[in-house]
Amino acid sequence: MTNAVSVGNPLLELKDLKTYFYTSSGVVRAVDNVTLNINHKESLGLVGESGCGKSTVAFSIMKLIPRPGKIVAGQILLEGEDLVNKDEEHMRKIRGSRIAMSFQDPMTYLNPVRTIGDQVAEAILLHQNVGKSQALEQAIRALELTQIPSAEEKARSYPHQLSGGMRQRALIAMALACQPGLLIADEPTTALDVLVQDEILDLMIELQQKLGTSILLITHDLGVVARVSDKVAVMYAGRIVEYSDTRSIYKEPQHPYTIGLIGSTPRLDVKSTRLRSIEGNVPSLVSPPPGCRFHPRCPYSKERCKRDEPRFVQIAAEHYVLCHKS
């Protein structure tokens, strides 16, 4: 395999996925040969710094890549069905019913002039053979499922009348209204205070247990991943560099980038408050470094790292790392 793998009963499989953006500055290789699986009833955390390609993976799965972006190679298999070559009409039937996405900025994706209830009901009307009143009843139940208090009243509210946490819950309700097999949550706790973050994460865990929905959680925060995810895929400069179950990735991280991310994440169980930073910046995806893409920032870099691209090495039953030192 050219990139990370998982075993089991896959709901979604990405195989050698490449999504590029053709710009005046050159070709941006935002997702570059990514292979990744998500099993039924499994939560997978996709983690990395801003600009590493995480959200582009999500938009590729949804077939919502904005111009000048394009999926140029690979497969996106949803229960064996390849979505890459499906037309927009087919994808509209899949979005919301089989795969749904909750976005990181509710005020961008919620219509300010329509009530919350109408917006949740819209997905139900699109995918189910029900009338408007029945769809609204189901929308209220979806809002109740996400623990929005006084859901019937909130359904008549407009987005600006809700708090940030309530808007995020409304987005999750909208995504889960038709009970899709996979929920993609893109930075669901961004810009929320710590207490509200905890509430949203607890909600996602509870909903997964109740509905059996698989979750792809996209975040830069390894602390969030530790709370929610069964498995973790660490992404850097358009590629997956490490994949494992969550416990192993915290206990025995192998890739220097993963080690750096963990070292820069605050922990409540450690008395020291000093955090380590990763020197340098994510490289340009127009002209990424030769060899290992992390080598300019890596404290263990050797000449081989600057010259040769690493291959994935399996170091445990479900632990893979893209690194020459492994």
Side-chain angles (χ1 to χ4, degrees), residues 15-302:
K15 293 187 175 182
D16 302 323
L17 182 66
K18 296 182 179 181
T19 301
Y20 294 172
F21 290 82
Y22 295 86
T23 73
S24 58
S25 301
V27 179
V28 180
R29 297 167 175 81
V31 175
D32 201 11
N33 245 30
V34 166
T35 295
L36 199 62
N37 293 355
I38 303 173
N39 296 331
H40 289 274
K41 301 182 180 181
E42 180 179 80
S43 55
L44 173 69
L46 183 58
V47 64
E49 294 168 281
S50 297
C52 71
K54 307 184 303 297
S55 292
T56 304
V57 169
F59 283 105
S60 297
I61 294 169
M62 298 293 288
K63 293 288 296 292
L64 290 173
I65 297 296
R67 293 181 180 179
K70 182 181 180 182
I71 297 172
V72 298
Q75 294 178 294
I76 302 170
L77 302 175
L78 178 61
E79 296 182 310
E81 179 185 8
D82 193 356
L83 304 183
V84 167
N85 296 315
K86 299 299 182 183
D87 60 24
E88 180 59 20
E89 181 179 357
H90 187 88
M91 287 305 302
R92 278 198 296 267
K93 295 176 182 177
I94 289 175
R95 296 187 200 112
S97 62
R98 297 174 66 189
I99 304 176
M101 187 167 175
S102 174
F103 300 92
Q104 62 178 287
D105 183 3
M107 288 306 286
T108 299
Y109 293 96
L110 290 173
N111 189 326
V113 298
R114 296 184 61 196
T115 65
I116 294 295
D118 280 347
Q119 294 185 65
V120 178
E122 184 177 19
I124 299 168
L125 288 168
L126 181 63
H127 296 292
Q128 298 181 11
N129 186 26
V130 298
K132 188 171 182 180
S133 60
Q134 187 176 348
L136 189 56
E137 289 176 8
Q138 290 181 221
I140 293 170
R141 287 199 294 271
L143 294 171
E144 290 172 340
L145 188 66
T146 57
Q147 299 175 11
I148 290 181
S150 306
E152 189 169 350
E153 176 187 340
K154 295 296 192 299
R156 296 191 293 269
S157 301
Y158 292 89
H160 73 274
Q161 296 175 308
L162 303 184
S163 67
M166 288 297 107
R167 288 195 292 264
Q168 191 65 60
R169 289 171 187 266
L171 272 186
I172 294 173
M174 192 182 305
L176 294 176
C178 297
Q179 298 192 10
L182 175 65
L183 170 66
I184 302 173
D186 187 7
E187 299 279 7
T189 59
T190 296
L192 300 177
D193 65 52
V194 175
L195 290 177
V196 178
Q197 284 185 28
D198 283 344
E199 291 174 359
I200 295 297
L201 296 177
D202 288 341
L203 173 65
M204 292 180 65
I205 294 168
E206 182 178 328
L207 289 174
Q208 186 192 24
Q209 293 172 347
K210 186 177 294 186
L211 302 176
T213 304
S214 297
I215 295 176
L216 173 59
L217 173 64
I218 295 172
T219 181
H220 64 278
D221 189 338
L222 273 167
V224 170
V225 169
R227 285 279 303 278
V228 176
S229 301
D230 303 310
K231 307 281 180 62
V232 181
V234 179
M235 193 167 186
Y236 183 78
R239 293 181 173 174
I240 305 299
V241 297
E242 188 163 4
Y243 166 88
S244 180
D245 65 275
T246 303
R247 181 187 177 97
S248 295
I249 217 118
Y250 277 88
K251 187 177 180 180
E252 296 182 293
Q254 296 295 314
H255 197 281
Y257 180 60
T258 309
I259 295 169
L261 285 179
I262 292 174
S264 63
T265 301
R267 292 178 56 179
L268 296 177
D269 59 339
V270 177
K271 289 184 178 180
S272 173
T273 57
R274 184 174 181 179
L275 301 177
R276 298 189 302 272
S277 62
I278 303 174
E279 299 295 329
N281 299 302
V282 176
S284 166
L285 296 181
V286 174
S287 54
C292 173
R293 294 186 176 184
F294 188 61
H295 85 254
R297 306 174 70 187
C298 181
Y300 310 101
S301 177
K302 307 293 185 184

